[in-house]
Amino acid sequence: MFKNILNFNKNRIKRLTLANLHQKMQEEKFDPNLIELLLVMFKKRIQENGEWEFQKWLNDLNFRVPEEFQNQEACRKVYLMSQPWLKAEVLQLEKETKLPWGVQDEDLSHLDEEVRKVQLVIRHRLTEIVNDLLYSS
């Protein structure tokens, strides 16, 4: 039985491909510049660690910020690049969660506002996409 569960999870994790991630980000109307940035980041991880390690990493991310977005300067650049989309997503997250964004990102309160918004949106939306890919029929 335990082996069946492991195989089931392994088969689900295999759904985390670049093509599936790209399609899902487009469906969710991610900012095109951010899609491109994420795909470059994901490709680099695959080249360095292999596809299976990438898939496990993405599966385990779960509401955490990818290491590439822990650099404040990189987040500021992302904010400038995708500002209208990020602002709209922050408002959408407030509606979805019924919580102000400042409450949703309390763990990030030591960072400036732009960085916090980038990290909040990326960790939340990436987790949703991964979960959709893992648990959709």
Side-chain angles (χ1 to χ4, degrees):
M1 176 150 168
F2 186 67
K3 186 176 180 180
N4 289 340
I5 292 171
L6 287 177
N7 285 336
F8 179 76
N9 287 336
K10 187 175 182 177
N11 288 336
R12 287 192 180 269
I13 289 173
K14 287 182 180 180
R15 296 178 181 176
L16 302 177
T17 64
L18 285 179
N20 288 343
L21 291 163
H22 186 224
Q23 179 182 350
K24 198 70 172 162
M25 287 188 283
Q26 287 181 320
E27 286 173 11
E28 297 298 325
K29 297 184 179 18
F30 269 48
D31 177 77
N33 294 317
L34 185 57
I35 291 173
E36 185 178 329
L37 178 69
L38 288 168
L39 290 175
V40 167
M41 182 185 87
F42 293 160
K43 286 177 187 175
K44 183 177 178 190
R45 280 189 170 270
I46 290 169
Q47 289 172 346
E48 291 174 358
N49 304 312
E51 189 155 6
W52 176 243
E53 288 302 317
F54 164 74
Q55 291 168 326
K56 289 191 313 186
W57 167 81
L58 195 58
N59 178 63
D60 294 341
L61 203 54
N62 200 28
F63 288 103
R64 290 192 332 249
V65 179
E67 294 84 358
E68 293 84 351
F69 292 98
Q70 292 178 4
N71 177 299
Q72 291 190 54
E73 196 54 42
C75 285
R76 283 187 195 93
K77 288 178 184 176
V78 169
Y79 187 82
L80 291 174
M81 175 182 72
S82 302
Q83 186 175 4
W85 180 80
L86 286 162
K87 285 182 174 184
E89 286 302 304
V90 167
L91 292 174
Q92 187 61 35
L93 281 172
E94 287 180 324
K95 289 177 187 174
E96 290 171 10
T97 63
K98 297 180 178 45
L99 292 171
W101 77 271
V103 171
Q104 296 178 52
D105 77 340
E106 285 179 338
D107 60 317
L108 306 171
S109 63
H110 61 286
L111 303 170
D112 75 33
E113 187 174 308
E114 293 173 354
V115 172
R116 290 167 50 201
K117 286 180 178 181
V118 169
Q119 290 186 355
L120 173 68
V121 170
I122 287 176
R123 74 181 181 185
H124 197 96
R125 295 302 185 216
L126 274 182
T127 298
E128 287 178 337
I129 284 174
V130 167
N131 286 337
D132 283 352
L133 290 171
L134 291 174
Y135 301 109
S136 62
S137 304

